[in-house]
Amino acid sequence: MNLTRRQLGFGLGSIAFAGLTARLIGQAPVAGMNEVTGYGPLVPDPDNLIDLPKGFDYRVISRLGNVMDDGFLVPNAADGMGAIDLGKGKIALVRNHELSVDEYGSGPFTGKVPSGFLTYDRMADDKSRPLPGGTTTLIYDMKTGQREAEWLSLSGTIRNCSGGITPWGSWLSCEENVTRAGNGVGKDHGYIFEVSPRTRGLADPVPLKDMGRFNHEAACVDPRTGIAYLTEDRGDGLLYRFLPNQKGDYAKGGRLEALAFAETDITDSRNWAEAQVGKGRQYKVRWIPLSDPESPNDDLRKQGSAKGATLFARGEGIFWGKGELFFACTNGGAGKYGQIFRYVPSVDEGSSGETDAPGMIDLYMESTNPAFYNYGDNLAVMPNGHLLVCEDQYTDITANHLRGVNGKGQTYMIARSRVQTEFAGGCFSPDGTTLFVNLYEPTMTLAIKGPWGRVSG
């Protein structure tokens, strides 16, 4: 997220370690906030990039401006990212680039692109120029620790913020922009696009319109049902679910719904003016059907709220654990330092009988001290079963962190940026040895290795 976005105040996760989140289940967060030792103190980086605990090291595997295999350049604004196992020690990293229409020079193109180029949309005033947002895909060899291939994999979108991987091995790339056709672009935006890493070259840019047109942030998928859960980066955003007509094929459509607390007097989870939602308690939910997912007036959240859907404070990172999901609300809570919610679907999630055994939601953590947790954004699951949070601090200091959050809601430092940018897109290799994470701008993708199973607290 660029500085302009921070000034305006607008507002992943891998399933590889789903089974390891079992330790989190049933452990209620403590009422107060404190920091625990974790992996130990951070050691200053002699290269002044990121500080890590003793025993950890990093390697930069991709940078802004690198020439990729297809001749295009690695774009700027690296945000959400997913790690997908290709087998034989190969990992595909599909990486979003959150570029707006006016950031063409920060994109992958150095000149005009042929008219037959596979892209979703082009500049309204210059059809030779695709919109700069999209995704790149990087193949990483776990045996050699080297980047094996890299290419542009989705083109012509706007502000691809985060997303999520699917159980069938693809990446859902989410547009955090709702520009309408005619406003400098040729098509409507605000959609999700699916990208497969198994095909070299550009994905067919098909907008998954039934998944809603809104300020998308991230997505995660229940492997049991194929239901996708979607966050919305708005101060008055909702939590959505998409029930597909056919599991594993979102292009065949489905229905979109918004979450509401079953207790109808609880309509605001943000806890800004008053604490409607307390820690240490589970709340039953219901799901509200939304009739117009295309939302030409960008009012899905208003439709849902009018019907009783619960407001969330800038929903951002989300990931699927073991029979549950976690999602971050970046500026939720009385201090607006951030919240993490946990949702446990019912066994009948998505069926007509689910109201007999509704899903449950709880406020897993709410920060009361920015020194311990501040503006949590992207989420991932760590090999030790804790949560990994990429902080998105809106401050002009070089102190953005990767934080760990344990099953008691306590936090610990994992890394600190020494450059003025944020961490984004954290995800782990299937074997648990390597954390892949982006530095947002200038784009750098890092591979961090270390004793991930060793943690105190």
Side-chain angles (χ1 to χ4, degrees):
M1 301 163 196
N2 55 40
L3 186 58
T4 301
R5 179 180 169 196
R6 294 177 180 183
Q7 291 169 333
L8 291 174
F10 293 143
L12 187 194
S14 172
I15 62 169
F17 289 98
L20 294 171
T21 59
R23 305 177 205 185
L24 298 174
I25 299 171
Q27 297 183 25
V30 294
M33 275 212 80
N34 64 316
E35 191 171 52
V36 293
T37 301
Y39 294 106
L42 302 183
V43 178
D45 178 11
D47 294 324
N48 293 312
L49 187 60
I50 64 167
D51 298 337
L52 292 165
K54 183 178 180 180
F56 289 77
D57 62 79
Y58 70 88
R59 173 181 295 181
V60 179
I61 61 174
S62 180
R63 294 178 183 268
L64 173 67
N66 281 359
V67 179
M68 298 186 289
D69 296 303
D70 52 13
F72 297 116
L73 305 180
V74 172
N76 202 18
D79 207 321
M81 181 168 65
I84 298 169
D85 188 3
L86 299 180
K88 299 182 179 179
K90 305 296 176 66
I91 304 298
L93 298 174
V94 188
R95 176 179 56 187
N96 278 0
H97 296 276
E98 192 185 34
L99 293 170
S100 298
V101 175
D102 60 354
E103 296 177 293
Y104 189 83
S106 298
F109 311 113
T110 56
K112 294 186 176 181
V113 176
S115 59
F117 182 78
L118 188 60
T119 186
Y120 174 65
D121 198 7
R122 297 172 180 265
M123 302 285 190
D125 60 351
D126 185 351
K127 298 299 184 183
S128 70
R129 298 198 302 168
L131 301 187
T135 66
T136 52
T137 297
L138 185 156
I139 306 300
Y140 185 80
D141 190 323
M142 293 294 298
K143 296 177 182 177
T144 65
Q146 299 293 324
R147 181 185 69 246
E148 185 178 273
E150 194 171 19
W151 67 88
L152 185 66
S153 50
L154 177 67
S155 170
T157 51
I158 305 176
R159 285 185 63 184
N160 299 69
C161 192
S162 192
I165 65 172
T166 68
W168 46 93
S170 62
W171 170 252
L172 300 174
S173 183
C174 300
E175 284 188 305
E176 190 187 15
N177 181 276
V178 289
T179 299
R180 297 295 305 278
N183 296 300
V185 299
K187 298 180 179 180
D188 289 348
H189 290 262
Y191 299 115
I192 294 177
F193 298 80
E194 189 166 7
V195 179
S196 172
R198 290 172 173 78
T199 302
R200 299 289 176 102
L202 289 160
D204 187 7
V206 176
L208 301 172
K209 294 186 176 182
D210 278 6
M211 298 185 83
R213 178 181 168 274
F214 58 89
N215 232 44
H216 285 280
E217 176 73 24
C220 73
V221 180
D222 182 345
R224 180 178 57 90
T225 62
I227 294 173
Y229 298 87
L230 315 171
T231 53
E232 180 176 30
D233 194 349
R234 297 273 198 184
D236 58 347
L238 307 180
L239 181 72
Y240 301 89
R241 72 174 183 182
F242 175 72
L243 297 95
N245 291 331
Q246 181 173 318
K247 181 180 176 180
D249 192 347
Y250 293 153
K252 291 187 176 178
R255 71 180 190 269
L256 190 68
E257 299 177 340
L259 182 142
F261 281 59
E263 297 180 34
T264 54
D265 59 329
I266 300 177
T267 57
D268 190 341
S269 75
R270 298 172 298 183
N271 289 351
W272 286 347
E274 61 175 315
Q276 288 195 28
V277 180
K279 293 189 289 289
R281 178 185 170 188
Q282 289 188 315
Y283 299 86
K284 296 178 181 179
V285 311
R286 58 192 178 94
W287 289 94
I288 297 172
L290 299 172
S291 59
D292 187 9
E294 277 284 337
S295 185
N297 297 317
D298 181 30
D299 61 356
L300 268 178
R301 66 196 186 282
K302 295 177 182 178
Q303 289 181 42
S305 177
K307 296 177 180 179
T310 301
L311 301 180
F312 292 94
R314 297 192 53 230
E316 295 208 79
I318 188 169
F319 81 87
W320 185 261
K322 185 178 182 181
E324 62 189 354
L325 62 86
F326 296 82
F327 64 100
C329 292
T330 295
N331 63 346
K336 298 188 177 182
Y337 303 132
Q339 300 165 311
I340 296 175
F341 285 88
R342 171 173 53 186
Y343 175 65
V344 182
S346 72
V347 294
D348 298 315
E349 185 86 352
S351 70
S352 59
E354 67 175 328
T355 53
D356 296 329
M360 306 291 289
I361 193 168
D362 65 275
L363 178 57
Y364 189 74
M365 196 263 300
E366 183 173 299
S367 178
T368 59
N369 189 331
F372 299 154
Y373 181 99
N374 192 18
Y375 276 67
D377 190 336
N378 287 179
L379 291 181
V381 58
M382 299 171 60
N384 62 13
H386 295 174
L387 303 184
L388 172 84
V389 182
C390 301
E391 283 188 341
D392 186 11
Q393 289 179 300
Y394 288 7
T395 55
D396 294 326
I397 57 172
T398 54
N400 288 2
H401 294 87
L402 288 176
R403 300 271 187 190
V405 181
N406 68 17
K408 297 179 181 179
Q410 300 165 314
T411 67
Y412 51 92
M413 287 192 293
I414 296 173
R416 176 174 54 231
S417 174
R418 299 286 291 275
V419 293
Q420 184 55 51
T421 192
E422 66 187 75
F423 291 102
C427 52
F428 281 89
S429 61
D431 65 3
T433 63
T434 306
L435 167 66
F436 300 101
V437 69
N438 296 319
L439 293 177
Y440 183 82
E441 59 180 350
T443 289
M444 275 184 271
T445 299
L446 313 181
I448 302 175
K449 300 191 75 171
W452 293 108
R454 184 202 77 206
V455 68
S456 298

